[in-house]
């Protein structure tokens, strides 16, 4: 398909959960759309993250679209937390079922989007020479789509394979008989380490910061449970619109409970598995003492599971409140360190000095490896936007405007960048909630907004500076009321050298955020300038 030099109503960047739904909705409101996707297929995160053990940690029955009842009734999830292949199959099914592929150009990266003030159109160009003019531009380019490799001295000289979990070979990797180094112990490391350890001859985990890991307690989905859930889908989805997922939020404060009561509640949630552990009390994210109690419960479990006390100590997080770096959900993670073929290296005590052609040299030892797996994360929330040369009024670059931190209103739009919408970007609940719920909310709001503009015969919408300033302040102020700023994490850009340290997502929750967005629309898009 050639898309060179043509006009559409809307350009959409990305064909993951967000881009696919955006395309569906734009068509539904009668717009022509062109999607560009760097990958060779749909799926986004679920296309790229094929590492062993990759799966969601929001329950499958909830980590899925709600916009089509026929879809949610027909699709059968087989496990409590679906694997990457199953989620990818689901997204492929969605693309086929709603005939979405015909408007998607694959293996095509958007390199620039420039607002033409005279024509009032976005001029979008790709690495394949396409040039498309569009009234609207929707950035569905992902919050966790720009991978980040470590830059150890000599890395380029390594003669074995180097993998990043977020750019995994499509045909998989056979680690049988291999000596594998794994760098990184965030969610991707936590999911992949036990799986790679089962296959490889030797696994050495290079850990900089230990993370809190709760057990997934994954299991096959009982067909009766699924049927009962599907019967009550409208109720479940309505609830998720308020809270993101059927998380079991407690109304109780840890400080009001006795130590024994706290232990019972933590144990119940630990045994139940999943992220509900951090919702055991409603002050875990705001009260250091409550947080300490939850953190200590996990550290005690680590000491129970891991047989070598020194390894258990090194695996125990002490430098951040639990939950302020994204809680990891794993299967057999801590028990994996009891295996004879797994070794843990604490990079803070024993830093890497150099990577050579066949080995990694630390301050204490040199070990030979056949492969290095980097589970080293992403340039989150702003990375994909920064990769594109986005220019608004007066030729101003978005990355310059955002040099000291993202500036936008509701996380959705930035002043001087008219008709440019961002899905689950900074300033929205984004990565702090079930992201499919957040994506549907954003896309529906954008579809309503564009419909409104057409109805009043308007050409552009963008936030006023004042509303943008207020929103940025509010996002920061609300984060400052929590323990989140106490951690160095990708939530606040700490994982990228030179990135401004700003807490990126809106901590207020999807329900409150939805109310704010709905009120803005009901008030005639208050805070926006419509021309
Ligand atoms: P993505 O899926 O990242 O899709 C963005 C797409 O845009 C990508 O395919 C990318 O190639 C493309 N793109 C980017 N820039 C360009 C460009 N310039 N030109 C063309 N194409 C471009 N969230 C949850 O809520 N629950 C979970 O359990 C969960 N599990 C996760 C597990 C993993 C391993 C990861 C990495 C993330 C997980 N997430 C989870 C977060 C996840 O990001 C979202 O749930 C969701 O998949 C995001 O969808 P998206 O369409 O917004 O972005
Ligand atoms: O990335 P991360 P991720 N030298 O940034 C370490 C989602 N997700 O891919 O903490 C040594 O969390 C880094 O160490 P430190 C989820 O939202 C969900 O694991 O910076 N180490 C850290 O340990 C998640 O939060 C699932 O000190 C280096 C790790 O690499 C997000 O995606 C599964 C280093 C990076 O952890 C990102 O998770 C997977 C260096 N130079 C992903 N650089 C689910 O389960 C980095 N590290 C649903």
């Amino acid at each position: 398909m050639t898309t060179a030099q043509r006009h559409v109503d809307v350009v959409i960047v990305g064909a993951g959960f967000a881009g696919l739904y955006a395309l569906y909705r734009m068509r539904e409101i009668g717009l022509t759309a062109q999607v560009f996707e760097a990958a060779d297929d749909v799926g986004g995160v679920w296309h790229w993250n094929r590492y062993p053990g990759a799966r969601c940690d929001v329950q499958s029955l909830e980590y899925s679209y709600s916009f089509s009842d026929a879809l949610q009734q027909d699709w059968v999830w087989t496990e409590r937390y679906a694997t990457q292949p199953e989620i990818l199959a689901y997204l492929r099914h969605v693309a086929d079922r709603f005939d979405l592929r015909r408007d998607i150009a694959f293996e095509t990266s958007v390199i620039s989007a420039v607002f033409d003030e005279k024509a009032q159109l976005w001029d979008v160009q790709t690495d394949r020479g396409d040039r498309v003019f569009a009234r609207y531009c929707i950035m569905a380019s992902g919050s966790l789509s720009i991978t980040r490799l470590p830059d150890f001295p000599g890395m380029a000289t390594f003669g074995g394979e180097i993998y990043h979990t977020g750019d995994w070979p499509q045909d998989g990797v056979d680690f049988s008989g291999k000596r594998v180094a794994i760098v990184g112990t965030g969610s991707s490391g936590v999911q992949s380490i036990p799986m790679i350890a089962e296959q490889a001859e030797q696994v050495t985990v290079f850990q900089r910061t230990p993370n809190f890991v709760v057990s997934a307690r994954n299991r096959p989905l009982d067909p009766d449970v699924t049927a009962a859930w599907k019967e009550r889908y409208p109720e479940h989805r309505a609830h998720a619109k308020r809270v993101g997922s059927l998380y079991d939020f407690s109304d109780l404060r840890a400080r009001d409970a006795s130590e024994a009561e706290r232990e019972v509640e933590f144990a119940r949630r630990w045994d139940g598995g999943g992220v509900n552990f951090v919702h055991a009390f409603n002050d875990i994210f705001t009260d250091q003492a409550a947080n300490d109690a939850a953190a200590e419960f996990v550290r005690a479990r680590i000491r129970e599971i891991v047989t070598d006390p020194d390894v258990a100590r090194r695996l125990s997080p002490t430098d951040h409140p639990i939950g302020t770096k994204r809680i990891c959900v794993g299967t057999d993670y801590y028990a994996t360190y009891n295996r004879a073929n797994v070794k843990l290296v604490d990079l803070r005590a024993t830093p890497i000095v150099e990577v050579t052609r066949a080995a990694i040299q630390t301050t204490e030892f040199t070990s030979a490896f056949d492969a290095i797996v980097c589970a080293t994360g992403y340039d989150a929330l702003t990375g994909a936007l920064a990769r594109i040369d986005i220019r608004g009024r007066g030729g101003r670059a978005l990355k310059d405007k955002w040099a000291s931190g993202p500036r936008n209103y509701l996380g959705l739009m930035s002043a001087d960048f008219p008709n440019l919408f961002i899905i689950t970007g900074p300033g929205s609940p984004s990565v702090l909630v079930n992201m499919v719920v957040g994506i549907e909310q954003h896309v529906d709001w954008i579809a309503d907004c564009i419909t409104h503009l057409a109805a009043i015969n308007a050409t552009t919408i963008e936030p006023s500076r004042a509303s943008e300033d207020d929103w940025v302040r509010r996002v920061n102020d609300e984060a400052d009321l929590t323990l989140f700023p106490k951690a160095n994490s990708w939530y606040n850009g700490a994982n990228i050298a030179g990135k401004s340290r700003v807490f990126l997502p809106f901590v207020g929750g999807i329900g409150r955020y939805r109310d704010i967005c709905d009120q803005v629309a009901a008030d005639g898009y208050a805070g926006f300038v419509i021309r």
Side-chain angles (χ1 to χ4, degrees), residues 45-46 49 51 53-58 63 144 148-152 164-166 183-191 206-211 319-320 325-330 347-348 352 374-378 380 431 435 488-491 494-495:
V45 152
W46 304 104
N49 282 263
Y51 61 83
R55 57 175 77 238
C56 56
D57 67 2
V58 167
Y63 188 67
L144 295 161
R148 188 177 143 270
L149 284 166
D151 56 355
F152 303 122
H164 190 288
T165 47
V183 185
T185 50
S187 301
S188 304
V190 161
Q191 286 187 329
F206 291 89
Q207 170 192 272
R208 190 163 64 185
T209 313
N211 262 305
D319 80 325
H320 63 279
K325 288 176 96 148
R326 192 167 188 286
I327 188 91
C328 299
V329 180
L347 284 177
R348 296 204 190 270
I352 291 174
C374 299
T376 43
Y378 299 87
V431 291
M435 288 198 72
N488 292 324
S489 82
W490 58 263
Y491 286 156
N495 66 330

Side-chain angles (χ1 to χ4, degrees), residues 179-322:
R179 297 156 304 175
V180 184
I182 305 181
V183 185
T185 50
S187 301
S188 304
V190 161
Q191 286 187 329
S192 57
I193 288 164
M195 304 289 289
I196 296 173
E198 274 180 20
Q199 195 182 50
E201 182 183 305
Q202 176 69 41
V203 164
T204 304
V205 177
F206 291 89
Q207 170 192 272
R208 190 163 64 185
T209 313
N211 262 305
F212 292 96
V213 182
V214 293
S215 179
R217 314 260 181 228
N218 187 41
R219 52 180 174 264
L221 269 175
D222 178 338
D224 292 339
V225 170
T226 300
W229 186 281
K230 286 185 173 181
E231 254 180 46
R232 293 176 57 198
Y233 244 136
E235 196 183 319
H236 291 316
R237 297 296 196 189
H239 183 75
K241 282 186 172 187
R242 305 302 314 162
V243 299
S245 288
L246 271 196
Y247 292 145
D248 186 3
F249 291 103
S250 170
D251 293 332
L252 301 173
R253 296 192 307 173
R255 60 168 53 221
D256 296 333
S258 68
E259 196 180 332
E261 285 166 338
R262 283 201 300 266
E263 286 297 295
V264 168
E265 188 56 13
F266 287 141
R268 185 179 77 79
R269 287 167 184 262
W270 178 266
D271 293 343
V275 298
N276 271 324
F277 180 81
V278 286
H279 303 302
F281 296 97
N282 66 7
D283 49 359
I284 286 179
F285 285 91
T286 50
D287 180 342
Q288 187 64 55
N291 193 286
D292 287 344
E296 186 45 35
F297 181 92
V298 176
R299 288 190 286 261
R301 301 291 78 70
I302 298 171
R303 291 192 291 271
E304 263 171 22
I305 298 168
V306 179
T307 48
D308 180 333
D310 186 48
V311 175
R313 184 186 53 76
R314 283 184 277 142
L315 285 169
S316 297
T318 52
D319 80 325
H320 63 279
I322 186 169

Side-chain angles (χ1 to χ4, degrees), residues 69 113 260 273:
D69 190 47

Side-chain angles (χ1 to χ4, degrees), residues 122 382 385-386 388-410 412-418 420 422 426 462-469 471-472 500 502 527-528:
W122 282 93
T382 55
L385 298 170
I388 304 170
D389 186 14
I390 302 173
R391 288 178 186 269
R393 293 191 191 282
R396 187 171 187 201
L398 187 74
K399 51 176 162 282
D400 291 342
K401 179 178 173 185
W402 287 15
S404 308
R407 304 200 66 78
N408 63 29
Y409 180 38
L410 305 176
L412 280 161
M413 301 193 87
S414 195
D416 286 337
F417 294 82
L420 181 89
I422 300 164
E462 67 195 281
S464 70
R465 289 232 173 253
S467 57
E468 182 168 284
D469 290 347
W471 186 253
V472 170
S500 51
V502 177
F528 286 95

